[in-house]
Amino acid sequence: MRDAWDLPDPFVIEIEVGTSSIDEYGHANNAEYLRWVEQVSWAHSERLGLDLARYRELDRAMAVHRHELDYLAPAFDGDRLRLATWIVGCDGRLTLTRRFQLLRSADDRTLLRARTRFACIELTSGRPRRLPEEYVAVYGGALIAE
């Protein structure tokens, strides 16, 4: 089945919906979608060479400033999903923006579209700080035009 990605060259992880993700309505709870967004964000950062250890070495982190999640269709127990992310904004100073798209593998139906804006902070103080040059180079180098 062909991928129906909104943007080219996604970074993708695979997810299998487990029983623990299912809520009282019989589908994956909306909090699970947010957890998966966080999971793919970290996996992509690690792939790019910026893991938690490196964040700590530089005393800088990308903290969520704003999440926008559009829930388009439910996921169910046992569904196999593919979650993609793209870096679509990096201002070189303070912020980074990612987009996300969640597809069900069986029918390529989009279940979620999301956008997250991150702000760079100093880990030790929690205060906003300028993006380190390494972040600008790595994240900026992975930028995809919308």
Side-chain angles (χ1 to χ4, degrees), residues 1-10 12 72 81-86 99-113:
M1 206 170 269
R2 73 169 189 82
D3 287 339
W5 299 121
D6 291 340
L7 297 171
D9 302 319
V12 180
L72 305 172
L81 311 175
R82 295 184 319 275
L83 179 57
T85 189
W86 300 266
R99 276 190 44 188
F100 306 88
Q101 183 182 3
L102 181 66
L103 295 178
R104 182 173 31 237
S105 295
D107 58 7
D108 269 350
R109 183 163 185 194
T110 297
L111 307 183
L112 172 88
R113 285 191 175 94

Side-chain angles (χ1 to χ4, degrees), residues 43-56:
H44 188 219
S45 285
E46 289 169 1
R47 173 69 61 85
L48 293 172
L50 292 173
D51 60 10
L52 185 56
R54 188 67 183 134
Y55 273 31
R56 287 180 175 146

